[in-house]
Amino acid sequence: MVNLSGIQSDSIVDGPGIRTTFFSQGCPHHCPGCHNPETWPFTGGTPMDTDVMVAIVEDNPLCRGVTFSGGEPFAQAEGFWELAVALKEKGYEIASYSGYTFEQLLNGTPAQKKLLETIDVLIDGPFIQAEKSLEIAFRGSKNQRILDVPKSLASGKAVESTSMRWQGEY
Ligand code: SF4
């Protein structure tokens, strides 16, 4: 179960292809210039069970990937881990945004590490207004990286994705 601020079932801006995006309620980062400040409070939102969210994803036959966005998904790491496991079993690519960096999550809570080990792609780091760019695919500011999580975990350091899909090429 996770507490959501919203769901987009046909997103084309949170990763390649048509995706379902689950927006987490609650964010501790409070980045100046954040586009979703209504997601900051850890109160409110809509609690939703894993099986309900999986059914929403499966309801869109064009959906090939799922993105966790925010808010801060890693602030509800246990619930998003459960969702990621259920969706991976069904063959969906899982990406997550986080205001934490990969290095911070590597040293995070056991639940955060578990979630990190389950996803395919991490778009990491806070939004930094001075580094804002409209030129980079799927990110708001240039400090943010699109990381190949399995490769990053295998090498113990952040490895950026070389997938052309994640460079915005379809
Ligand atoms: S991490 Fe994301 S949701 Fe949280 S304040 Fe920063 S930009 Fe907003």
Side-chain angles (χ1 to χ4, degrees):
M1 199 269 291
V2 293
N3 201 24
L4 296 176
S5 62
I7 301 171
Q8 178 76 44
S9 58
D10 56 357
S11 171
I12 56 166
V13 297
D14 299 311
I18 293 173
R19 309 180 73 84
T20 302
T21 303
F22 293 104
F23 295 91
S24 181
Q25 180 69 44
C27 183
H29 304 294
H30 296 190
C31 310
C34 169
H35 277 218
N36 300 317
E38 68 281 1
T39 67
W40 292 0
F42 281 91
T43 51
T46 304
M48 199 167 282
D49 287 329
T50 297
D51 56 347
V52 175
M53 292 184 281
V54 170
I56 289 169
V57 173
E58 290 189 300
D59 204 39
N60 181 351
L62 298 177
C63 177
R64 293 288 177 273
V66 177
T67 301
F68 304 155
S69 188
E72 172 55 76
F74 282 81
Q76 299 190 67
E78 189 73 30
F80 276 108
W81 167 76
E82 190 179 296
L83 177 60
V85 168
L87 291 168
K88 288 287 288 181
E89 278 174 6
K90 293 178 180 289
Y92 292 100
E93 178 195 57
I94 310 296
S96 184
Y97 286 86
S98 179
Y100 296 112
T101 62
F102 173 77
E103 292 79 6
Q104 287 173 317
L105 292 173
L106 263 190
N107 294 300
T109 67
Q112 288 174 333
K113 281 189 270 187
K114 204 164 65 168
L115 174 56
L116 189 63
E117 286 164 4
T118 309
I119 64 175
D120 301 294
V121 174
L122 177 75
I123 303 106
D124 80 336
F127 173 70
I128 297 177
Q129 192 130 33
E131 298 191 46
K132 179 178 176 177
S133 173
L134 300 177
E135 310 296 319
I136 47 176
F138 309 128
R139 289 156 291 169
S141 57
K142 287 181 178 168
N143 61 295
Q144 295 169 322
R145 304 169 294 185
I146 299 176
L147 301 179
D148 181 321
V149 174
K151 283 185 184 167
S152 298
L153 290 172
S155 64
K157 60 179 174 39
V159 177
E160 298 206 37
S161 172
T162 55
S163 161
M164 292 310 287
R165 292 169 59 244
W166 279 95
Q167 313 305 315
E169 309 281 337
Y170 289 87

